[in-house]
Amino acid sequence: MASVYRATYHLRSHKRDNLIEFVKSMLLTPFVLHSTTPPTAGDPITDVDREEAEIVRSVVQSKRPTTTQSQLSKEASVRESQAQAREYNIQRMAEILGNIEELITEHREMELRGLGKYSRLHRMVPTIGNFYTALPLKEAFLRSRDACMGISGRRYVPPSFNDIRRIMNSAQVMAGAHDLKLITFDGDMTLYDDGKNFTEDNPLTRLLIRLLQKDIHVAIVTAAGYGDKSEKYEGRLSGLLKGFEKARLSEEQVGRFFVLGGECNFLFRCSADDQYKLRFMSNEEYSSSSMRRNWQDEEIEKMLDIAQSNLEICIESMDLDATIIRKERAVGLVPKKKMTREQLDECALSSQLELLKFQKANNVNPADAPIPFCAFNGGNDCWVDIGNKFIGVQILQDYLDAKPSQTFHIGDQFLMTGNDIATRRACCTCWIINPDETQAILQELDDILWKDDDDSNNDQ
């Protein structure tokens, strides 16, 4: 059974994030050993987690006044015991997160000396990547009421993937907000629902405008590739562009907004002088076009042919009701009826393998292939793009002179079959699962950025 388990684990590795799994395993100890203790069978009140009002109401409605004081005393004792256990649990979890902070700090210091693979964290999580800032995990946990009280107060559900992911997002915002120069976003399921457009009533408009007003560059780095046709991008972002116009952003402010389509292939910049529309930027306008200089059109066509052939095989072998769409630098499988996540993952992973074999790549990472590519599960479809968001973010960093530590990327696809994972090699990242979480992160960032101005004014 052990060998079967190991094989199954490795085949499912595309569904796991090893750092988050490591943090979860560390937090499991205080959850198991120090979680709050349930009341005994003899206690008159069995649901000790009910709201205070419900407890008082149950006592008032009792028709046995002689036992009311005893009941209140027992209830108070149970609640006090619960509170003490939860407080101790918080301390233990905060201590563990503080220890993980130290491991990250040690790893960063050893990376600077070229010894990153010898750090304690790397030995425990061999797939660990770069950390461009420190991560104040302990402070992020203690400052978040949802994390602090929600996790520590649970007795039956241990710390989850989403719990750890949100704590790490908050820690990243806290660490990098003050030096932020560039923030990039995925499109679908990050700024708007999958397959939808950015509408005028989107609450993210105000927060994105405030970033531009704080001299921070904002870019959407998306897999959507429409060539140099700005109209299609403007249609999807019409609500945001109208928001810029209503806010009367200056040419300088709105010029900090970019759209990079096809992962890294088509760059646009917003202009107030052109009625808040997107202007296509040719490769000659930014020096980072050298990153794609060695990409031969013939090789690209061969890669797209191979990817298309593999997707056609997937349709046949899994009996899928889907169609193939071929673009200038991408090919995709679009289902006519909904496909399962497992089917889409199969299409993405098999395409990755075929293209790596074609390029005789020495590394299993598509970003390290001679011609980097991205084969990913888009949630409702599967696409293979030439290039990736690692190159896309690097193009913007070079053009805007932004360091990795001064750059955030926010997206929802950070597993092996996603197209946001490549950005981890270029900048700091925040992993969200829907636009509501993007809004929460931007609100947290907004509070930090504008608090600095308030503090400065008070000092004066």
Side-chain angles (χ1 to χ4, degrees):
M1 287 298 293
S3 61
V4 173
Y5 174 79
R6 282 197 296 269
T8 303
Y9 177 87
H10 288 297
L11 288 173
R12 291 171 56 85
S13 63
H14 65 282
K15 290 189 173 184
R16 302 176 186 274
D17 181 279
N18 291 331
L19 178 59
I20 291 180
E21 294 294 329
F22 170 71
V23 177
K24 278 173 56 180
S25 67
M26 295 297 101
L27 291 180
L28 193 59
T29 299
F31 173 80
V32 172
L33 299 181
H34 306 290
S35 60
T36 52
T37 305
T40 63
D43 287 328
I45 304 295
T46 58
D47 186 6
V48 296
D49 292 324
R50 73 183 65 180
E51 294 293 331
E52 187 71 31
E54 293 177 347
I55 299 172
V56 173
R57 191 179 301 114
S58 68
V59 175
V60 171
Q61 291 176 349
S62 173
K63 296 183 179 181
R64 292 179 296 175
T66 56
T67 62
T68 297
Q69 189 61 39
S70 174
Q71 184 179 17
L72 283 172
S73 178
K74 288 183 179 181
E75 180 66 27
S77 177
V78 169
R79 291 179 64 83
E80 182 179 359
S81 175
Q82 291 270 352
Q84 291 175 348
R86 184 166 56 196
E87 182 179 351
Y88 184 56
N89 207 23
I90 290 173
Q91 293 173 351
R92 289 296 299 270
M93 289 184 172
E95 179 184 359
I96 289 171
L97 290 171
N99 291 335
I100 295 172
E101 272 186 54
E102 294 176 5
L103 290 175
I104 292 173
T105 299
E106 177 196 73
H107 179 74
R108 295 183 67 226
E109 292 172 349
M110 295 187 73
E111 277 282 324
L112 294 175
R113 306 203 311 263
L115 300 172
K117 65 180 181 179
Y118 299 106
S119 72
R120 287 183 294 164
L121 184 59
H122 187 275
R123 292 170 70 86
M124 289 182 282
V125 189
T127 58
I128 200 71
N130 298 323
F131 293 91
Y132 298 105
T133 67
L135 280 184
L137 298 173
K138 180 178 179 179
E139 184 181 357
F141 171 70
L142 293 175
R143 282 181 53 175
S144 170
R145 178 176 176 82
D146 288 341
C148 197
M149 303 298 287
I151 298 174
S152 64
R154 299 201 302 250
R155 288 183 285 136
Y156 304 110
V157 180
S160 69
F161 161 84
N162 284 326
D163 291 328
I164 308 306
R165 180 180 55 77
R166 294 187 188 105
I167 292 172
M168 296 182 77
N169 285 345
S170 292
Q172 187 61 81
V173 170
M174 291 165 58
H178 298 289
D179 200 31
L180 185 62
K181 191 170 184 178
L182 167 65
I183 183 166
T184 64
F185 298 87
D186 176 42
D188 290 271
M189 292 307 295
T190 299
L191 296 177
Y192 38 79
D193 291 334
D194 194 20
K196 304 298 183 180
N197 296 332
F198 198 111
T199 57
E200 289 189 59
D201 60 351
N202 192 319
L204 294 175
T205 300
R206 179 186 68 87
L207 294 167
L208 294 174
I209 287 174
R210 284 169 69 85
L211 288 172
L212 296 172
Q213 292 171 335
K214 287 293 288 185
D215 299 339
I216 294 172
H217 295 88
V218 176
I220 299 176
V221 182
T222 174
Y226 307 124
D228 58 0
K229 305 296 189 294
S230 62
E231 295 82 4
K232 295 231 176 181
Y233 294 103
E234 289 168 350
R236 299 209 66 182
L237 300 172
S238 59
L240 179 59
L241 298 177
K242 288 179 181 177
F244 292 167
E245 186 174 8
K246 287 182 179 179
R248 297 183 180 179
L249 294 182
S250 67
E251 177 65 20
E252 180 183 3
Q253 290 172 332
V254 81
R256 300 190 190 105
F257 180 74
F258 297 83
V259 175
L260 187 52
E263 310 284 357
C264 62
N265 291 295
F266 313 106
L267 182 60
F268 299 83
R269 189 173 196 170
C270 194
S271 171
D273 293 340
D274 194 24
Q275 298 181 334
Y276 296 91
K277 294 185 179 297
L278 299 175
R279 181 182 67 83
F280 177 69
M281 298 177 64
S282 64
N283 289 344
E284 291 71 25
E285 293 184 66
Y286 51 97
S287 59
S288 295
S289 59
S290 60
M291 295 178 183
R292 306 184 301 240
R293 189 170 294 162
N294 296 326
W295 298 4
Q296 301 298 322
D297 290 341
E298 296 80 5
E299 290 295 302
I300 291 175
E301 287 303 313
K302 288 180 182 178
M303 289 179 62
L304 292 177
D305 287 343
I306 290 171
Q308 180 170 339
S309 176
N310 182 74
L311 292 176
E312 289 170 349
I313 292 173
C314 288
I315 289 177
E316 182 178 355
S317 62
M318 290 186 284
D319 193 24
L320 304 176
D321 187 8
T323 185
I324 302 292
I325 296 179
R326 181 78 171 252
K327 294 187 177 182
E328 182 180 346
R329 291 203 165 181
V331 60
L333 181 152
V334 179
K336 296 178 182 178
K337 62 180 181 181
K338 189 172 180 61
M339 291 169 54
T340 65
R341 175 179 175 176
E342 289 76 14
Q343 290 172 325
L344 292 169
D345 282 348
E346 175 69 20
C347 294
L349 291 171
S350 60
S351 297
Q352 286 180 16
L353 180 60
E354 291 303 314
L355 291 177
L356 289 170
K357 285 162 55 179
F358 167 70
Q359 297 194 77
K360 296 181 173 61
N362 295 324
N363 196 305
V364 296
N365 191 330
D368 293 324
I371 298 181
F373 66 92
C374 180
F376 66 98
N377 174 353
N380 291 314
D381 50 22
C382 175
W383 283 89
V384 179
D385 292 328
I386 301 300
N388 55 35
K389 292 187 180 182
F390 166 58
I391 297 173
V393 171
Q394 277 195 322
I395 286 173
L396 291 165
Q397 287 174 327
D398 285 359
Y399 185 65
L400 302 171
D401 192 25
K403 300 175 183 177
S405 61
Q406 298 173 314
T407 308
F408 281 179
H409 178 76
I410 299 177
D412 69 312
Q413 296 276 355
F414 283 97
L415 294 174
M416 283 179 59
T417 53
N419 66 339
D420 291 307
I421 190 170
T423 62
R424 285 182 170 173
R425 304 177 65 178
C427 63
C428 308
T429 59
C430 290
W431 187 345
I432 56 85
I433 59 173
N434 55 46
D436 290 338
E437 287 197 357
T438 301
Q439 181 180 353
I441 287 176
L442 290 186
Q443 187 60 62
E444 188 173 356
L445 179 61
D446 187 83
D447 293 342
I448 295 174
L449 292 173
W450 292 91
K451 182 179 182 298
D452 290 344
D453 283 355
D454 294 339
D455 292 343
S456 177
N457 293 333
N458 291 335
D459 291 341
Q460 293 177 359

